[in-house]
Amino acid sequence: MWKQNIKKVNMRDKKFNILTIDGGGIRGVFPGKFLADLENLISEKNLDKKRIYEHFDLICGTSTGGILAISLALGIPANEILDLYLTRAKEIFGAKRQWFKRLTYYSKYDIENLKINIRDKFRNYFNGNDPRLIDVKTAVCVPIYDLLEGRPSVLKSNYHPRFNRDYHIPAYIAALSTAAAPTYFDPVSETYEKIKSDSIENFSNKIDGGVFANNPTILAIIEAQKAFNVDLKNIQILSIGTGKMKYSDAKDRKHWGPLYWLNFKRRRIIDLFMQSQSQHVSNLISLLQKGIDKTENPNFEYIRIDTEFDSEFNLSLDETNKELLNKLSKKASKQFQDHGSEVFEKFCKAGL
């Protein structure tokens, strides 16, 4: 029997834990590995709560971060999602369409391989059935852009009585929608049957939420305040990026046309809007937390985990080289060595 899983609690007097995960395509290896290491530490410490979702009141992710967010909220172990990235990268991003098709009318990849892998993973944990957003074990939200309506949108599980629109949506459709990056994948168009109804819903022309919220932390803060009635001072945020490289180009170029921004080797325009949006959110968080002069006592707890790329190591969103992906995984392990104990103490142990 379908049951709405709305949390009816007053969060004003306790810490409210938020996990946010950036977009970044296959670079989801980085947050996947960090969170897998965190779950391993939780297991080593013999905590009763073994999974990531049990330590966070809200999980918010964009694009690849949205896939991770929904997976974790469904109770899937982080190391299984990481394995999906490491072992299926060539299956998801390996078969490019012919160059003249990509140059004219088609996206770079067929989204079907990503759909099969995500859907199968979700079904494995729900007796072969497709879980829906109502089935998540903690609150989750993922930003998408609705081309049909021409506006940003945020898909939400039913963590507030007024949120009765999205919980019918199969989880794999929500995950695909937030990850359908322009030029890489076509917009997602699917249909589904509403719960306890014969009504067939059209879910059409949805694309990657990274076009407006690649780092969804501000969205998550607003959700905590407005949907859960949480004071800012009681919010704790763990925000995980997917690796960054400062986007700059100081060359004296004469040609700044489409072939510069959207060539076959690098979709510079995608890198630019994703990185600039994430950087802007980091700036806003710093302002909100510590003030203009950064002299105020922090208004809330915020831990940002990310890694720097350089010219020798700069992964594209669709990288399939296993050696490079393993190196990215090692970078996540290094970050966990540096910050894992602090994260564990604040988000896992403190709530016991």
Side-chain angles (χ1 to χ4, degrees):
M1 179 179 293
W2 295 103
K3 181 181 179 182
Q4 293 191 11
N5 185 29
I6 300 172
K7 292 184 178 180
K8 296 181 179 179
V9 291
N10 188 331
M11 302 298 300
R12 281 192 175 275
D13 299 320
K14 71 180 287 291
K15 292 299 181 182
F16 186 88
N17 288 350
I18 297 174
L19 171 63
T20 67
I21 311 171
D22 285 16
I26 199 63
R27 299 198 307 242
V29 164
F30 181 83
K33 176 59 174 172
F34 188 93
L35 293 168
D37 284 351
L38 180 58
E39 278 192 341
N40 289 339
L41 181 58
I42 290 169
S43 180
E44 290 172 9
K45 299 295 185 180
N46 293 316
L47 300 190
D48 291 334
K49 298 177 180 179
K50 303 295 185 184
R51 297 283 170 254
I52 294 295
Y53 79 86
E54 296 177 282
H55 300 277
F56 292 91
D57 301 290
L58 174 65
I59 304 178
C60 184
T62 301
S63 193
T64 195
I67 294 174
L68 280 158
I70 293 171
S71 301
L72 294 167
L74 287 171
I76 299 173
N79 67 340
E80 289 198 21
I81 312 165
L82 172 64
D83 183 69
L84 186 67
Y85 283 113
L86 292 175
T87 61
R88 302 295 178 89
K90 284 191 175 181
E91 187 175 322
I92 295 169
F93 293 116
K96 298 177 185 176
R97 287 178 166 136
Q98 294 175 313
W99 70 268
F100 63 88
K101 289 185 177 181
R102 287 184 276 136
L103 187 63
T104 53
Y105 302 111
Y106 296 94
S107 56
K108 194 172 183 180
Y109 302 102
D110 187 337
I111 204 169
E112 189 65 22
N113 286 336
L114 179 61
K115 175 181 175 179
I116 290 170
N117 279 282
I118 292 174
R119 193 175 191 181
D120 286 350
K121 178 61 67 177
F122 290 177
R123 281 176 166 178
N124 286 343
Y125 278 81
F126 286 84
N127 299 317
N129 299 312
D130 287 321
R132 306 190 189 220
L133 289 185
I134 197 173
D135 294 312
V136 295
K137 301 175 186 296
T138 194
V140 68
C141 63
V142 295
I144 65 170
Y145 191 88
D146 189 335
L147 286 178
L148 187 66
E149 299 292 336
R151 59 178 175 80
S153 181
V154 181
L155 303 181
K156 306 174 185 181
S157 61
N158 52 315
Y159 51 85
H160 187 278
R162 290 179 65 90
F163 296 166
N164 53 22
R165 179 192 66 178
D166 300 330
Y167 68 81
H168 300 267
I169 300 172
Y172 80 91
I173 294 179
L176 284 178
S177 299
T178 190
T183 78
Y184 287 93
F185 296 117
D186 290 347
V188 170
S189 293
E190 298 277 346
T191 60
Y192 61 90
E193 187 175 297
K194 292 187 71 172
I195 296 169
K196 295 182 179 179
S197 171
D198 294 330
S199 173
I200 300 298
E201 295 292 310
N202 288 311
F203 191 76
S204 303
N205 292 20
K206 307 301 190 282
I207 65 171
D208 194 329
V211 299
F212 75 97
N214 198 57
N215 177 344
T217 303
I218 295 293
L219 291 177
I221 291 174
I222 293 171
E223 289 298 307
Q225 291 181 307
K226 300 305 179 182
F228 289 93
N229 200 31
V230 182
D231 286 337
L232 187 61
K233 66 182 180 180
N234 290 329
I235 291 175
Q236 292 191 147
I237 304 165
L238 173 61
S239 175
I240 310 180
T242 57
K244 59 184 179 181
M245 181 177 179
K246 185 177 181 180
Y247 189 93
S248 61
D249 192 335
K251 292 182 179 180
D252 186 16
R253 296 180 182 276
K254 293 182 179 180
H255 305 290
W256 293 89
L259 288 180
Y260 170 79
W261 292 108
L262 288 170
N263 62 32
F264 291 124
K265 291 184 178 180
R266 183 180 181 188
R267 272 129 164 88
R268 291 184 176 94
I269 190 66
I270 306 297
D271 289 346
L272 178 61
F273 76 65
M274 290 180 65
Q275 292 182 28
S276 62
Q277 195 280 334
S278 289
Q279 290 164 352
H280 181 56
V281 167
S282 293
N283 294 339
L284 291 176
I285 292 292
S286 177
L287 182 65
L288 186 63
Q289 187 186 31
K290 299 179 180 179
I292 293 175
D293 297 321
K294 299 183 179 181
T295 57
E296 299 177 14
N297 291 326
N299 295 313
F300 56 94
E301 294 284 347
Y302 176 71
I303 298 177
R304 175 69 172 174
I305 306 295
D306 209 350
T307 188
E308 294 275 356
F309 295 156
D310 55 36
S311 58
E312 301 298 320
F313 185 84
N314 184 23
L315 274 71
S316 63
L317 303 183
D318 56 350
E319 182 61 65
T320 61
N321 185 303
K322 195 165 186 178
E323 181 180 350
L324 292 178
L325 296 179
N326 284 330
K327 286 182 178 180
L328 181 59
S329 179
K330 290 178 181 178
K331 284 180 175 289
S333 290
K334 175 63 169 62
Q335 288 296 313
F336 191 80
Q337 290 173 13
D338 295 340
H339 304 287
S341 295
E342 180 187 9
V343 169
F344 175 80
E345 291 292 329
K346 285 187 179 295
F347 294 92
C348 304
K349 188 177 178 181
L352 299 179

